[in-house]
Amino acid sequence: MSDCLFCRMIAGEIPADVVLQTDRVFAFRDINPQAPTHVLVIPKEHHATVGALAADDAGLLGEVVAGAHAVALQEGLVTDGGAEPGYRLVTNTGPQAGQSVHHVHFHVLGGRRMEWPPG
Ligand code: AMP
Ligand code: ZN
């Protein structure tokens, strides 16, 4: 989609601080980090929301989640076989949740204690 910010980042038209990519998954640092580690993990193919992605290609959704965990390992948020110190994986759908980019993305957040419940 030529008018989608994240599609344009995948295409190299807008700069991205890439931390990991596979043939179908792309991960880059959030421009406005909310934690010491804040990485966005997305499918290279355009899908608007997590629900649309689950319906269209559940296998790709699994690859994106596996990519998010690989980012957490790479960033030292967990270790192989361990879950410490830990990370939070967030995806927002729709205006009330605060979705501002309509290309599904998972936020990988870590490096500080996360409040629960979230605000
Ligand atoms: P959301 O509000 O859940 O849709 O998340 C969109 C995220 O994209 C926000 O955390 C923004 O800071 C981030 N963002 C917007 N533009 C860019 C950009 N050019 N590079 C990296 N992250 C961006
Ligand atoms: Zn897109």
Side-chain angles (χ1 to χ4, degrees), residues 25-69:
V25 175
F26 192 73
F28 55 99
R29 294 195 193 282
D30 197 292
I31 204 168
N32 182 24
Q34 301 301 313
T37 294
H38 187 173
V39 174
L40 301 177
V41 185
I42 66 177
K44 288 184 175 175
E45 192 174 274
H46 184 92
H47 298 268
T49 66
V50 67
L53 177 58
D56 293 349
D57 191 340
L60 180 55
L61 173 58
E63 289 180 38
V64 175
V65 173
H69 186 70

Side-chain angles (χ1 to χ4, degrees), residues 75-87:
E75 294 286 315
L77 303 178
V78 287
T79 54
D80 250 335
E84 293 185 15
Y87 64 92

Side-chain angles (χ1 to χ4, degrees), residues 4 7 46 103:
C4 169
C7 283
H46 184 92
H103 180 135

